[in-house]
Amino acid sequence: MMDNKTFIAAGIIVAILIGVIAVFMASGDPDGLESSALVVSGQKELTGLSPEDGDAEVVGTGDFAYESPMPDYSLGEEMGSTGGILAIIAGIIITLVVVIGATYAIRLKNEGSKS
Amino acid sequence: MHIPDAFIPLPQAVVYWIVALFFLALAVKWARSEINEDKIPLIAVLAAGIFALQSFNLPVSMGTSGHLVGGALAAIVLGSPFAAIFILTLVLIIQAFIFGDGGITTLGANIVNMGVIGGFVGYYTYQGLLKAVKNSYVSAAIAAWLACLIPALACAIEMALAGTFPLIPGIISMGVYHAIIGIIEGIVTAVVLYILAMARPDLMDVKTGVGTA
């Protein structure tokens, strides 16, 4: 059985490996929801290939827009796959920090209410 | 199935937010009573792993890709649907605000679909099947498949309510694609469960039957 440190280290390494492989291997096809949007807007057959220049957002009606710092898990075209790897690693570290932080915050409050 | 901002009109998006916040409050309550110091490494690693898996778009043919959701996995490993809501909410917030994956106004709907519906479907299907088939890995795989498919169908209905997709074509299309994505989700969920049970059986909240399964 692994101790906590080994377990966390192994977990982070596995997560980073998955993320890095994803940068190179991930499919460029639209995801299930976007693909469905293409189907219902007549840009794609249910079982057919997705159009190169398909626009899934065409079915949307909302006009709220938000510019994220690392859209599509990348740092922009010019950074290429290096940017993708950095974005994924940043995401994994942010996730760890946020989850551990949130968990401790909840627990601290818990202990505070007990005393 | 991360819904972008444009897909749900604001008044409806608010309704999903209210539902999401209700379940999130219950999830925080769960975390407060159930998470102890020993569980934090498992929760952190699960969240990081789910984040990484969700960024991996696997080809599922028919011009479509899909990634895992991880709701069933979190709920099964930590023994509560609220664990899925807790972890998935944090992952979805990070994805929406930092990576533009899923909208901000639609974050509530995404939490409801993948966290709440995924977590409850995954957890209770697993519990039910475990009694029937007595094999935790088979139960987990089927539970994860359903925890991918049912949220996708819920999403299709939400899209119809929003006027974004017509109901029947939306259900068919979301159903077909996620029934395939769900197969991958099922296999990966069972494999991860096995690896976790090997590495840290003490942290698992479920009897996985490693060694007997």
Side-chain angles (χ1 to χ4, degrees):
Chain A
M1 203 164 79
M2 291 183 187
D3 61 36
N4 274 349
K5 273 189 188 146
T6 321
F7 179 71
I8 293 189
I12 294 170
I13 291 168
V14 170
I16 290 176
L17 273 178
I18 293 168
V20 170
I21 295 169
V23 172
F24 296 100
M25 304 275 292
S27 162
D29 281 329
D31 78 4
L33 179 64
E34 293 162 338
S35 206
S36 297
L38 295 174
V39 171
V40 299
S41 60
Q43 299 180 66
K44 174 185 180 308
E45 297 289 325
L46 181 65
T47 56
L49 294 177
S50 283
E52 284 286 329
D53 54 352
D55 180 13
E57 303 263 333
V58 73
V59 293
T61 50
D63 50 11
F64 177 90
Y66 168 80
E67 224 23 80
S68 66
M70 295 186 253
D72 295 324
Y73 305 92
S74 78
L75 302 178
E77 294 273 324
E78 64 274 14
M79 290 288 283
S81 38
T82 316
I85 292 169
L86 291 175
I88 289 286
I89 292 176
I92 289 168
I93 293 168
I94 293 166
T95 306
L96 282 168
V97 170
V98 167
V99 169
I100 293 174
T103 312
Y104 270 106
I106 288 169
R107 279 176 46 79
L108 277 179
K109 225 172 153 187
N110 192 20
E111 275 151 25
S113 64
K114 269 184 193 161
S115 57
Chain B
M1 64 184 96
H2 292 57
I3 305 169
D5 279 308
F7 281 18
I8 299 180
L10 204 51
Q12 292 187 23
V14 171
V15 175
Y16 297 118
W17 261 111
I18 294 169
V19 178
L21 288 175
F22 170 76
F23 281 98
L24 187 56
L26 294 176
V28 168
K29 210 173 146 205
W30 166 85
R32 191 168 292 168
S33 63
E34 296 296 321
I35 296 180
N36 52 38
E37 200 93 7
D38 304 337
K39 285 249 173 76
I40 294 177
L42 177 62
I43 291 176
V45 164
L46 261 180
I50 287 172
F51 172 85
L53 283 173
Q54 288 209 3
S55 72
F56 200 157
N57 277 311
L58 300 152
V60 292
S61 80
M62 302 189 288
T64 304
S65 71
H67 61 72
L68 308 184
V69 181
L73 177 66
I76 293 168
V77 169
L78 291 163
S80 168
F82 293 107
I85 299 170
F86 184 74
I87 292 178
L88 266 287
T89 298
L90 293 173
V91 169
L92 287 166
I93 289 171
I94 293 165
Q95 289 172 329
F97 281 94
I98 299 178
F99 299 99
D101 195 4
I104 307 292
T105 58
T106 49
L107 184 54
N110 285 324
I111 292 171
V112 169
N113 291 340
M114 289 181 261
V116 178
I117 300 177
F120 275 91
V121 168
Y123 181 74
Y124 287 103
T125 307
Y126 176 75
Q127 292 297 334
L129 281 175
L130 193 57
K131 288 195 188 88
V133 301
K134 311 275 183 223
N135 183 310
S136 54
Y137 301 111
V138 173
S139 308
I142 297 170
W145 180 72
L146 270 180
C148 181
L149 180 63
I150 304 287
L153 297 177
C155 180
I157 293 168
E158 290 155 15
M159 290 299 96
L161 290 172
T164 305
F165 289 7
L167 183 63
I168 302 302
I171 284 182
I172 292 171
S173 167
M174 286 295 282
V176 167
Y177 296 144
H178 290 89
I180 300 171
I181 297 166
I183 295 173
I184 309 171
E185 173 110 36
I187 294 168
V188 173
T189 299
V191 169
V192 174
L193 200 60
Y194 180 78
I195 294 169
L196 283 176
M198 285 302 202
R200 288 304 294 270
D202 59 312
L203 293 178
M204 309 279 287
D205 240 322
V206 287
K207 296 216 183 313
T208 49
V210 168
T212 56

